[in-house]
Amino acid sequence: MKIICIGRNYVDHIAELNNERPTEPVIFTKPETAVLKNNDPFYYPEFSNDIHHEVELVVKICKGGKYIQEKFAHRYYEEVGLGIDFTARDVQSRLKAKGLPWELAKAFNDSAPISKFQPIANFKDIQDINFSVSLNGEEKQSGNSSMMLWNVNEIIAFVSKYITLKKGDFIFTGTPKGVGPVKIGDRIEGFIEGEKLLDFEVK
């Protein structure tokens, strides 16, 4: 399986990092080794001093496809969950300054904690889901999927023009404003519609 991530999909997050608003989805990937499940602890990597949390809705692909038309994209997912796109911001800034890819800052081991998935049928509209993340009991990020620049079906249609989607792939759909650093000893909790789906420690 693979993890496909959408960058700069929430306007307020674009502004907080002083990034340029894209004219099409910004795509990057994480390998399977980035996945962290079962609320296992996240171990702070030695190569960074500035790991940031970025909470995102995650869609699980339920069947394979490529060149998927937007009007059929809803047939390719049945579940949604919550994920954290851990980012080594210092590494990313150094790479961006040199015009290099971000992979070392985004794709490292355990950089993608993912919750259990919920059936899409539990929600009236995938483009109207509230989600949030708290750090040591204090809410740091909150968003609603209606705020996406590109909705889930548009993302699937765009990505599948370039990359074949397979059953079991994850799509991280972007993060709202409020990203910030974590430190050893922090407790991270993530919620969809008030239900706690993530709850783990940074060690």
Side-chain angles (χ1 to χ4, degrees), residues 75-121:
R75 300 177 181 176
Y76 289 81
Y77 57 91
E78 297 174 344
E79 298 176 288
V80 64
L82 198 66
I84 304 293
D85 168 21
F86 275 129
T87 303
R89 195 70 71 200
D90 48 354
V91 176
Q92 185 186 39
S93 295
R94 185 173 71 246
L95 293 169
K96 286 172 67 176
K98 296 178 180 179
L100 297 174
W102 306 342
E103 264 69 14
L104 292 179
K106 289 282 194 177
F108 56 89
N109 291 340
D110 299 336
S111 62
I114 297 175
S115 74
K116 291 183 178 179
F117 283 82
Q118 309 291 311
I120 291 293

Side-chain angles (χ1 to χ4, degrees), residues 34 37 60 106-107 111 150 203:
K37 293 183 176 180
K60 183 195 290 186
K106 289 282 194 177
S111 62
W150 288 279
K203 292 187 174 181

